[in-house]
Amino acid sequence: MTGAGAGWGTLAVLALVVVVAAVALYAVRVRRIANRVGSFECALRRTGGRDWTSGIACYGAGRVDWYRLVSARLAPSRSFRRDDLVVLRRERRPGAGHVIEARVSHRGEELELAMVREAFAGLVSWLESAPPRGEPRL
């Protein structure tokens, strides 16, 4: 093999190693997020938008963290505080079986979330189980 051929071969092997490492890190990230207690698949889009963004949502202390599925970030892409999240309406997604689309409001911004029926029931239960807002009455 000539010097130029060996150089290209080394470069190809190095590129392959980088791609395999990136795929492995992506798989580890998704597995870590998806295996958390209280995580569920949840797609998100802005109201009126065309494209859904796949993600995983996880319940936290007083919030739901949403992680974009295809991302290198370890931190959540969005966080929704329980006090500021309101379900405006829900509907069954046509032709998608058990998927529910929910229009929600969070701090004045309207978004749409898509998740399976059981995850939606859990989200609504979590929202309704919040402590009362405002000053306590004595």
Side-chain angles (χ1 to χ4, degrees):
M1 188 177 277
T2 65
W8 284 110
T10 303
L11 188 59
V13 169
L14 184 61
L16 182 63
V17 167
V18 168
V19 168
V20 168
V23 169
L25 288 174
Y26 168 75
V28 167
R29 176 189 171 272
V30 169
R31 187 176 176 111
R32 280 189 61 201
I33 295 169
N35 284 343
R36 290 182 183 167
V37 174
S39 65
F40 57 97
E41 293 180 33
C42 179
L44 179 138
R45 75 174 171 188
R46 295 195 191 288
T47 299
R50 293 181 53 207
D51 297 327
W52 289 95
T53 304
S54 296
I56 300 171
C58 301
Y59 294 106
R63 69 183 192 285
V64 173
D65 294 327
W66 184 81
Y67 296 84
R68 182 183 299 263
L69 189 61
V70 180
S71 176
R73 290 184 64 187
L74 297 176
S77 300
R78 304 282 305 247
S79 269
F80 304 104
R81 286 193 44 206
R82 183 192 306 219
D83 294 342
D84 300 328
L85 188 63
V86 177
V87 176
L88 302 174
R89 69 179 173 90
R90 70 168 180 91
E91 60 189 47
R92 195 174 232 170
R93 197 171 185 186
H98 299 286
V99 176
I100 301 290
E101 284 185 13
R103 180 171 289 184
V104 298
S105 173
H106 183 257
R107 295 184 178 174
E109 178 184 19
E110 285 192 19
L111 303 162
E112 292 180 74
L113 304 174
M115 63 197 82
V116 295
R117 182 176 47 205
E118 293 81 6
F120 180 74
L123 178 67
V124 171
S125 296
W126 179 77
L127 288 171
E128 290 175 351
S129 69
R133 297 179 193 174
E135 295 295 319
R137 296 182 188 185
L138 300 174

